[in-house]
Amino acid sequence: MARIECVAMILAGGQGSRLGVLTDEVAKPAVPFGGKYRIIDFPLTNCSHSGISTVGVLTQYQPLDLNTYIGNGGPWDLDRNNGGVYVLPPYVSMSENKWYKGTANAIYHNIQFIEKFNPKYVLVLSGDHIYKMDYRKMIDFHKEKEATATIAVMSVPWEEASRFGIMDADEDGKIIEFHEKPENPISNQASMGIYIFDWENLKIVLEEDEKDENSSKDFGKDIIPKMLSNKMPMYAYRFQGYWKDVGTVHSLWEANMDIIADPPLFNLNDSNWRIYSRNPIKPPHYISNDAVITNSCVTEGCNIFGDVDHCVISDGVTIEKGAKVRDSVIFPNVHISSDAVLEKVVVGEGTVIGKGAEIGLESKDDNPYASHLCTNDIVLINGNIKIPDGAKIYKNSMVRTFDIGGGDRT
Amino acid sequence: MTNMIGLILSESYLQLNGLTDKRSVEALPIAGRYRLVDFMLSNMVNSGITSVGIVTKTKYSSLMDHLGSGKEWDLNRKNGGLHIIPPYSGRGIQGLSEGTIDLIASASSFIRRSKEDHIILSKGNIVANIDLKEVEKFHEENSADITLVYYESKEATNRDLGDHIVLEVDDNCRVRGIEIRPIRPKSRNVFMNMVLMGTGLLQYSIDEAYARGDRDFIRDLLIKNLSNLKICAYKFEGYVGFVHSVCTYYSANVDMLKEDVRREIFNSSRPIYTKIKDQVPARYGSEASVHNCLIADGCIIQGDVRDSIIFRGVNIGKNTKVSNCIIMQDSVIEAGCELKHVILDKEVTVRDGGRLIGDLTHPMIIDKGEVV
């Protein structure tokens, strides 16, 4: 097989438990985003536009939806004769059960896969970040610095720095110190979970780390510190632009709101960097005579008869006459019946909201659906359920199923 | 499984003013994100047909660009798949082929290679969602030699029917008469330019007709054989939008604003496929006011839009009023404009304060790429 310069490995096995009911049945990278995308579309599109056509997607938790979504990679132009996209689930071998124990362990178990392409570099990406990035520029930087590893970093607000892997680098970008989620951060340069490694060196470190019984087999916690202590030249590549980890209900909601801000904080309408996705086969959306629609984005297959303001509406959604939906994110094929009122709600795929239901309008102290996962007044409604006519759901709720309940109790 | 192949014949006589200057009628953009040919092509694919030929005649680069490898219709196959058959001159014919028989003859190697027993011949200028498996079933149950598909146009005037081919059908579904563009039609049964017949019979008939110098499929092949062959007629009960003039093009578009038509044409069990453009969802601004419109992805709507079809990637500025219009892909209407009964072809720009008013019976057409 022809040698491939760079192979990308996307870590898509995370459970994403902080997204609550959204990831009950799908892996986080398969969660819908921005009306017609899924989170995994962003790294896949970035690879495609960056000319990286050999991509491994490491899945583990609830991989079915993700597998069928990726398929042969055609929508991302990754159906190639040489390379293309491969879904790489864990497997059982003669000697052991190769369940992925950590991010580094996941790559370790796929050494054979990577070796087949004999790459010079391996790009390790995360399957749950929203951003547009040309990896070619980062690879050029990596070559120019003759680095063993390059880590993409960005400035984050100081008060949030302790949530990230924090890097201290010299003027040239050479990393001096690295701390995973430090209590007292020494800089505000946070790792974006995007790494380029020289494959030869990474392989050695991975094999060593595998033997280390005290290691948690994680890139941030084990591999990067090990490489640093081995005095391997590592550089921080500064990224400027929009990047968001959509790991919580609030950040997922916020990132959706960012694309409908005026002007958008994150612009998807970029003809030089179109976000690819598996498109639904649906007609243009219809806006009826009675509808009022402002500050929102709407996509194919929708039928809007009600009032919509400041919402992200995914494909195949119907909003009946008299319904009012504000500041909400509506996933595909949701049906919102007449006179229902929704405010700051994330509604999962295929759910039916009954007539006159009131969701997210009022607060209540002993709210039966209250959940620590739903903050900032956001309500999260599970997919494929029915909210009965006239139901009332308070702010900061998570509804797994109506009647039986939700919130932190389930 | 079906036992059919499909052959779509390019319609070369139709002229829709500027709209068909640079493209054939099959490549006309329609219903916000489709080309006319998508409907017939999707009908074939949804009926289990995996081998489709499209015989082109003139101005076909737009059509070829749209179809590509046939991937979006699932027709990029090892066996069968999509075959675009460019015009052909041969067997002593000077220049481009003339009639329908010539068009079919140019596809003879495609037809000969197929192993299926039946072939569906159709034109590409019709909007309908039809299950061709039902037509095949009808054909077999009636042991027909040839089956013609028609619909009953109850509201059509004699003048409307004068644009069509009208069938006289008896109680046993046998075709008893065929009238081409009749002045006083004997029925309201409009032929949908869809024919199902045996692949072998077609090949034989075309070879015969060719040898005799016949040119026209309807006149020379169907009408002459009304008594020799068992020619039956299958009645289609759904919505039919024929596109053969600017007016019918306009009405086939705005028909999509009717909920029942939309539900039938875009029913999810038989979807209509088209080329994917990876556009973002449409965005509505704070001053947007939209009523009774079909709007495609990639649009940015900031003005007042009513009773219109808006294609992918259209930009409508603030304080602009658009009503009863068809605005094709990537057109830009800047701020403070007024447009009524206008068809904007692709990539048109209407500058600030522009005013374009057409008439329902004569929509104003602005050609592709113009700046107004």
Side-chain angles (χ1 to χ4, degrees):
Chain A
M1 195 174 278
R3 180 167 193 183
I4 277 168
E5 190 188 33
C6 182
V7 170
M9 300 294 275
I10 302 179
L11 303 163
Q15 186 178 353
S17 50
R18 286 174 303 156
L19 286 177
V21 293
L22 291 180
T23 50
D24 273 359
E25 274 161 28
V26 298
K28 185 155 71 164
V31 168
F33 179 82
K36 65 183 288 194
Y37 308 101
R38 293 183 186 245
I39 298 170
I40 189 94
D41 286 332
F42 292 86
L44 285 176
T45 296
N46 289 341
C47 283
S48 183
H49 285 315
S50 303
I52 296 170
S53 55
T54 306
V55 181
V57 180
L58 300 151
T59 62
Q60 176 152 290
Y61 172 78
Q62 292 283 11
L64 269 181
D65 257 35
L66 198 57
N67 290 354
T68 48
Y69 185 70
I70 292 171
N72 69 349
W76 304 270
D77 211 8
L78 292 172
D79 48 341
R80 303 297 181 96
N81 283 336
N82 187 12
V85 65
Y86 300 84
V87 175
L88 304 168
Y91 53 91
V92 175
S93 74
M94 292 288 279
S95 54
E96 58 176 330
N97 183 346
K98 295 183 175 179
W99 197 248
Y100 299 153
K101 288 181 274 293
T103 51
N105 182 254
I107 304 286
Y108 172 82
H109 282 315
N110 288 287
I111 285 178
Q112 280 180 14
F113 167 79
I114 298 171
E115 289 278 271
K116 257 200 292 204
F117 299 100
N118 186 21
K120 193 144 174 36
Y121 310 109
V122 169
L123 173 66
V124 177
L125 303 168
S126 161
D128 41 20
H129 297 155
I130 303 287
Y131 64 109
K132 295 186 284 189
M133 182 173 175
D134 190 341
Y135 302 132
R136 278 174 300 200
K137 289 184 186 157
M138 187 173 162
I139 295 171
D140 289 344
F141 175 89
H142 179 85
K143 287 185 197 165
E144 189 194 307
K145 300 291 179 193
E146 297 177 348
T148 301
T150 299
I151 302 170
V153 297
M154 66 182 297
S155 308
V156 294
W158 278 95
E159 63 272 19
E160 287 180 30
S162 55
R163 285 175 41 213
F164 296 92
I166 293 295
M167 224 77 65
D168 189 24
D170 68 12
E171 279 169 17
D172 193 36
K174 190 165 185 195
I175 297 169
I176 303 160
E177 281 183 66
F178 174 87
H179 300 284
E180 183 74 14
K181 296 179 182 150
E183 267 175 49
N184 303 304
I186 42 164
S187 99
N188 69 337
Q189 297 298 305
S191 165
M192 298 161 64
I194 300 165
Y195 311 96
I196 292 172
F197 296 101
D198 275 355
W199 174 234
E200 233 172 276
N201 288 309
L202 177 65
K203 199 171 81 176
I204 296 166
V205 179
L206 283 175
E207 281 167 347
E208 277 172 14
D209 185 65
E210 190 58 25
K211 289 179 204 132
D212 180 356
E213 281 175 15
N214 299 319
S215 165
S216 55
K217 318 263 187 300
D218 184 86
F219 273 99
K221 289 190 197 104
D222 308 291
I223 301 295
I224 304 298
K226 254 182 201 143
M227 287 184 138
L228 260 183
S229 65
N230 288 354
K231 301 266 183 292
M232 289 176 164
M234 298 173 76
Y235 283 80
Y237 172 78
R238 292 183 85 148
F239 173 76
Q240 269 156 347
Y242 186 92
W243 176 90
K244 196 149 196 145
D245 180 340
V246 286
T248 63
V249 177
H250 182 238
S251 65
L252 180 71
W253 175 84
E254 208 173 49
N256 273 286
M257 292 298 125
D258 287 346
I259 64 171
I260 52 170
D262 189 21
L265 295 173
F266 183 46
N267 185 17
L268 298 175
N269 198 356
D270 179 351
S271 57
N272 295 320
W273 206 271
R274 279 208 176 134
I275 310 301
Y276 298 143
S277 67
R278 193 169 285 279
N279 275 249
I281 311 290
K282 287 175 184 166
H285 64 271
Y286 176 72
I287 308 285
S288 86
N289 237 335
D290 309 307
V292 177
I293 180 153
T294 44
N295 303 310
S296 297
C297 75
V298 184
T299 188
E300 285 152 356
C302 292
N303 283 291
I304 312 288
F305 300 90
D307 287 15
V308 178
D309 182 44
H310 203 239
C311 289
V312 173
I313 313 285
S314 311
D315 60 273
V317 168
T318 299
I319 298 179
E320 286 185 11
K321 200 172 158 179
K324 288 186 170 53
V325 189
R326 283 186 296 269
D327 305 325
S328 295
V329 179
I330 313 296
F331 281 1
N333 304 317
V334 165
H335 188 107
I336 299 177
S337 307
S338 55
D339 304 315
V341 184
L342 281 74
E343 200 174 295
K344 262 192 145 178
V345 187
V346 178
V347 186
E349 212 165 332
T351 281
V352 178
I353 308 285
K355 283 180 191 160
E358 280 186 17
I359 307 177
L361 300 188
E362 294 166 29
S363 316
K364 197 178 180 203
D365 288 340
D366 57 339
N367 172 12
Y369 297 101
S371 167
H372 70 288
L373 298 173
C374 293
T375 58
N376 304 68
D377 296 343
I378 297 169
V379 177
L380 174 60
I381 311 262
N382 201 359
N384 299 311
I385 61 167
K386 158 101 185 144
I387 302 294
D389 294 354
K392 210 163 175 178
I393 295 166
Y394 300 98
K395 292 176 197 268
N396 299 318
S397 296
M398 179 169 81
V399 183
R400 183 163 270 119
T401 47
F402 201 80
D403 299 336
I404 299 167
D408 289 337
R409 295 175 310 161
T410 52
Chain B
M1 273 304 288
T2 49
N3 192 9
M4 294 186 279
I5 59 169
L7 190 64
I8 296 175
L9 304 171
S10 176
E11 178 59 83
S12 47
Y13 303 106
L14 293 173
Q15 290 299 328
L16 280 75
N17 297 353
L19 298 175
T20 49
D21 272 357
K22 295 202 174 77
R23 55 169 88 90
S24 58
V25 64
E26 297 78 24
L28 264 179
I30 191 160
R33 66 187 290 259
Y34 302 93
R35 303 282 185 142
L36 252 176
V37 73
D38 290 339
F39 293 92
M40 211 45 225
L41 204 51
S42 300
N43 284 332
M44 290 181 172
V45 171
N46 290 334
S47 306
I49 294 175
T50 56
S51 184
V52 179
I54 298 186
V55 186
T56 59
K57 196 160 176 191
T58 53
K59 300 176 281 193
Y60 52 85
S61 73
S62 167
L63 188 65
M64 296 204 24
D65 177 50
H66 177 66
L67 297 170
S69 66
K71 187 169 151 185
E72 272 94 354
W73 297 265
D74 224 355
L75 287 173
N76 53 338
R77 301 291 186 100
K78 276 198 169 165
N79 296 311
L82 183 69
H83 299 259
I84 296 173
I85 300 153
Y88 142 111
S89 50
R91 288 222 244 166
I93 295 193
Q94 299 297 312
L96 295 174
S97 48
E98 285 293 318
T100 9
I101 288 183
D102 294 318
L103 284 179
I104 300 167
S106 58
S108 60
S109 66
F110 165 74
I111 300 168
R112 207 177 317 117
R113 268 201 312 268
S114 71
K115 295 175 190 74
E116 288 80 355
D117 289 336
H118 298 138
I119 181 166
I120 281 266
L121 299 171
S122 172
K123 289 196 173 167
N125 63 329
I126 202 160
V127 179
N129 194 326
I130 176 171
D131 186 353
L132 300 170
K133 283 188 302 246
E134 290 295 317
V135 182
E136 192 183 32
K137 207 168 110 195
F138 170 93
H139 182 81
E140 283 171 346
E141 279 168 6
N142 285 281
S143 316
D145 292 314
I146 299 176
T147 296
L148 309 182
V149 183
Y150 74 98
Y151 73 105
E152 196 182 345
S153 179
K154 291 198 181 80
E155 68 275 23
T157 61
N158 279 1
R159 209 176 137 187
D160 293 338
L161 292 173
D163 289 329
H164 294 286
I165 293 163
V166 174
L167 308 180
E168 234 183 295
V169 183
D170 71 12
D171 293 342
N172 298 319
C173 303
R174 276 289 290 266
V175 178
R176 293 301 172 189
I178 300 176
E179 298 176 293
I180 303 172
R181 298 180 218 286
I183 294 167
R184 285 180 207 85
K186 293 199 182 87
S187 81
R188 317 214 83 71
N189 301 330
V190 178
F191 177 43
M192 288 167 67
N193 291 326
M194 265 177 234
V195 180
L196 191 151
M197 62 195 289
T199 319
L201 176 63
L202 177 70
Q203 237 177 296
Y204 170 80
S205 311
I206 292 294
D207 286 348
E208 285 282 286
Y210 218 94
R212 280 196 306 270
D214 289 343
R215 287 283 174 273
D216 193 86
F217 186 80
I218 310 285
R219 233 187 355 242
D220 300 324
L221 229 151
L222 294 181
I223 297 181
K224 278 184 190 164
N225 287 313
L226 271 179
S227 47
N228 311 340
L229 294 172
K230 188 172 182 191
I231 302 181
C232 291
Y234 172 88
K235 186 174 177 182
F236 175 63
E237 303 280 359
Y239 170 84
V240 176
F242 252 117
V243 176
H244 52 79
S245 62
V246 172
C247 263
T248 49
Y249 170 73
Y250 183 85
S251 61
N253 269 287
V254 295
D255 277 349
M256 297 303 151
L257 296 175
K258 298 174 190 158
E259 196 173 350
D260 52 338
V261 174
R262 222 169 43 242
R263 267 183 208 286
E264 182 195 323
I265 293 292
F266 301 113
N267 81 65
S268 55
S269 58
R270 294 202 303 271
I272 306 298
Y273 302 95
T274 190
K275 186 174 173 180
I276 302 286
K277 303 250 181 194
D278 291 297
Q279 294 268 16
V280 293
R283 260 176 67 87
Y284 293 87
S286 55
E287 293 165 41
S289 169
V290 181
H291 303 283
N292 192 34
C293 289
L294 202 61
I295 297 188
D297 274 2
C299 291
I300 300 175
I301 312 284
Q302 306 193 67
D304 185 312
V305 191
R306 282 161 204 275
D307 309 310
S308 297
I309 310 289
I310 314 292
F311 283 69
R312 294 188 273 206
V314 168
N315 229 309
I316 297 179
K318 286 184 180 166
N319 299 314
T320 281
K321 282 187 189 333
V322 173
S323 63
N324 307 93
C325 288
I326 294 166
I327 313 292
M328 290 190 207
Q329 196 181 315
D330 296 329
S331 283
V332 177
I333 305 168
E334 296 180 354
C337 299
E338 189 184 351
L339 278 74
K340 194 174 169 74
H341 294 302
V342 177
I343 300 174
L344 290 192
D345 206 318
K346 287 165 70 173
E347 295 152 25
V348 170
T349 304
V350 182
R351 292 252 184 256
D352 280 338
R355 201 162 171 273
L356 302 171
I357 310 290
D359 186 79
L360 176 63
T361 51
H362 284 90
M364 182 189 283
I365 298 174
I366 308 293
D367 291 345
K368 183 175 172 179
E370 296 251 328
V371 177
V372 183

